[in-house]
Amino acid sequence: MKIENIKVIVTSPGRNYVVVKIETDEGIYGIGDATLNGRELTVAETIEEYIAPILIGRNSDNIEDIWQYLYKGAYWRGGPVLMTALAGIDMALWDLKGKRCSRPVYSLLGGRSREKVLCYTHVSGDKFQEVKENALEKIAEGYKVLRVQVSIPGLNGTYGTVEDDARVLPFVETWDSKPYLKVIPELFKFLRAEIGDEVHLIHDSHERLQVPEAIRLAKELEEYNLFFLEDLLKPENIAGFEQIRNQTSIPLAMGELFNSKWEALPLIKNQLIDYIRCDLSHIGGITEAMKLAALAETFHLKTAWHGPADISPIAHLANLHVDYAVSNFGIQELAEFPEEVSAVFKGGPKFEDGYLTIPDRPGLGCDIDEEAAKKFPYKKAYLPVAESLDGSVHEW
Ligand code: CS2
Ligand code: MG
């Protein structure tokens, strides 16, 4: 089955998404997600200008070969832009292969290892009471695991609590670890007292802490029995995880900012974390995720793929096909999409009583309505940045 055409669809139903559509000489097409929040058009151009021309005429069946051709063949390999472009192509090729074989993608990845996929979603608030109320609402909907974030008094905007963080110009948040390190343990103490121990809780430090701060927070949160504590340190400070690991028993998760399995390797092979949190849309798609899951399995880690609202339902379905297939699945993040998304994307994960399932359809199980997509033109948007109290730039 020869690749005849590659289309890039940029649409903004509530937020920007980039979709790759690979059309073949047998009239079958596959779709993939290539959304890189804040850099959408750069990825779209990379696919249109550099990748599409060299894939026309190639056999779409040879996914691994095409993956290596786009990774090694680029010479200047890796990084978020190329790996997101590669992810879109990869997902579309798996969708194609599934449609051609009339099988869901997970069946081609080795079949089901489970009937349903445990997931978590986000709750946040300005005050503890608001976080509690939002949490009780999600628990009533059936969620068994919740990620909790709260505004830090005195700081202008706190990660995870600012509505729709993509803006025409970067929103500037202020960061100071002192009030953060005081408030977060208090939040967990409050929540455990108010909503009990039944629900699993997760918190995302979003790569902002120094090693001593991370150790202090991890130790103070141990008694609240977290499912995991996410992204304590920046991806450039892998060595720092060893010190954390040696001083706390809290489960650790990391990885959404990695763009290759080699970046994740030190944390995996030294068992410095428990959950690998890479993003299929930024690490080269399903092909790379299956390799990462096998690597993680080798060192007794579980998967917890990144699942924010800034990757499309196609990517969320790709997550689930891998989650179904691998033995070492841990949990799946599912941030809720803007309403308009369902006008453009047909099909997606089904939520029931804390778990996700996917439609038993050939391919990934999702389609895009191109006419509807045109009704939501691209809107330039930047992620926030964070500044320390002295005005210097800090990790967001
Ligand atoms: C976050 C993301 O879901 C998460 O774990 O870290 O929401 C992240 O902030 C966004 O994907 C950035 O685009
Ligand atoms: Mg995160």
Side-chain angles (χ1 to χ4, degrees):
M1 191 159 62
K2 288 209 172 339
I3 296 175
E4 227 171 40
N5 183 32
I6 296 179
K7 247 192 216 173
V8 178
I9 301 153
V10 180
T11 179
S12 195
R15 61 175 321 131
N16 297 321
Y17 296 109
V18 177
V19 173
V20 182
K21 187 172 184 178
I22 298 183
E23 298 168 334
T24 65
D25 59 355
E26 291 182 16
I28 307 177
Y29 65 84
I31 56 173
D33 178 86
T35 308
L36 183 62
N37 193 7
R39 297 286 180 279
E40 295 88 357
L41 297 187
T42 318
V43 176
E45 184 175 16
T46 300
I47 298 169
E48 282 164 343
E49 291 300 322
Y50 301 102
I51 292 180
I54 59 172
L55 290 188
I56 304 301
R58 289 185 85 100
N59 182 345
S60 66
D61 202 40
N62 302 336
I63 302 179
E64 179 68 30
D65 177 55
I66 289 174
W67 201 100
Q68 297 299 338
Y69 181 57
L70 296 178
Y71 182 77
K72 293 175 188 160
Y75 191 59
W76 313 110
R77 75 269 319 256
V81 171
L82 179 66
M83 298 313 279
T84 302
L86 182 44
I89 298 287
D90 182 83
M91 290 180 209
L93 292 172
W94 279 104
D95 189 34
L96 254 176
K97 194 185 273 280
K99 286 175 180 168
R100 187 162 191 227
C101 308
S102 304
R103 298 295 307 142
V105 168
Y106 67 75
S107 166
L108 309 178
L109 300 175
R112 283 172 185 264
S113 295
R114 54 197 51 76
E115 289 311 316
K116 54 188 180 174
V117 164
L118 179 68
C119 71
Y120 74 90
T121 197
H122 300 179
V123 292
S124 64
D126 279 340
K127 300 272 181 279
F128 289 9
Q129 187 60 26
E130 198 187 335
V131 179
K132 169 191 166 186
E133 283 155 15
N134 292 337
L136 290 173
E137 212 178 282
K138 291 298 169 197
I139 292 168
E141 287 173 23
Y143 282 96
K144 314 220 173 313
V145 191
L146 298 173
R147 185 193 83 166
V148 293
Q149 311 285 136
V150 71
S151 298
I152 307 299
L155 298 185
N156 176 29
T158 304
Y159 167 71
T161 66
V162 181
E163 240 351 279
D164 188 31
D165 44 48
R167 315 259 171 120
V168 277
L169 280 175
F171 171 77
V172 180
E173 287 182 18
T174 45
W175 171 254
D176 179 13
S177 55
K178 192 160 175 294
Y180 171 82
L181 292 171
K182 179 175 176 305
V183 167
I184 298 303
E186 289 170 357
L187 169 70
F188 278 84
K189 185 171 183 196
F190 171 81
L191 288 175
R192 284 301 185 211
E194 296 288 320
I195 64 176
D197 290 327
E198 186 64 26
V199 64
H200 290 285
L201 297 176
I202 284 172
H203 177 71
D204 188 346
S205 293
H206 222 246
E207 306 98 14
R208 290 177 180 216
L209 302 178
Q210 297 297 103
V211 171
E213 298 169 339
I215 293 170
R216 174 181 154 193
L217 180 68
K219 291 172 97 166
E220 286 187 32
L221 293 181
E222 272 175 7
E223 66 180 291
Y224 303 115
N225 190 21
L226 273 65
F227 191 98
F228 64 61
L229 183 53
E230 177 185 346
D231 288 359
L232 281 167
L233 305 178
K234 54 192 150 200
E236 296 84 3
N237 187 3
I238 299 301
F241 277 91
E242 190 150 358
Q243 298 170 56
I244 301 171
R245 196 55 150 180
N246 294 341
Q247 301 191 46
T248 173
S249 61
I250 205 165
L252 299 172
M254 177 78 179
E256 69 186 59
L257 286 175
F258 292 150
N259 298 114
S260 90
K261 56 182 171 289
W262 292 286
E263 290 171 32
L265 188 56
L267 285 179
I268 294 177
K269 75 178 170 65
N270 300 311
Q271 296 184 315
L272 298 178
I273 57 171
D274 305 284
Y275 294 89
I276 186 71
R277 285 265 301 136
C278 294
D279 188 311
L280 270 65
S281 284
H282 305 148
I283 207 158
I286 293 170
T287 300
E288 190 69 350
M290 289 301 287
K291 293 176 184 174
L292 251 174
L295 196 58
E297 183 191 348
T298 313
F299 295 94
H300 315 295
L301 274 72
K302 291 186 173 182
T303 67
W305 307 126
H306 194 222
D310 54 56
I311 55 176
S312 79
I314 304 170
H316 282 259
L317 280 167
N319 285 343
L320 288 177
H321 282 277
V322 176
D323 293 338
Y324 266 26
V326 299
S327 67
N328 56 327
F329 163 77
I331 193 164
Q332 180 56 58
E333 177 183 21
L334 176 79
E336 290 172 359
F337 292 113
E339 235 170 83
E340 303 92 320
V341 162
S342 55
V344 174
F345 294 93
K346 305 301 173 189
K350 185 165 159 285
F351 175 82
E352 195 178 340
D353 195 28
Y355 291 84
L356 297 172
T357 54
I358 35 185
D360 229 357
R361 286 168 44 189
L364 289 172
C366 175
D367 207 347
I368 181 164
D369 178 333
E370 290 185 56
E371 285 315 306
K374 287 185 189 135
K375 295 193 186 107
F376 300 93
Y378 169 76
K379 290 193 219 74
K380 178 177 276 189
Y382 288 92
L383 281 155
V385 291
E387 275 183 5
S388 299
L389 301 182
D390 66 1
S392 60
V393 178
H394 191 279
E395 266 71 33
W396 171 59

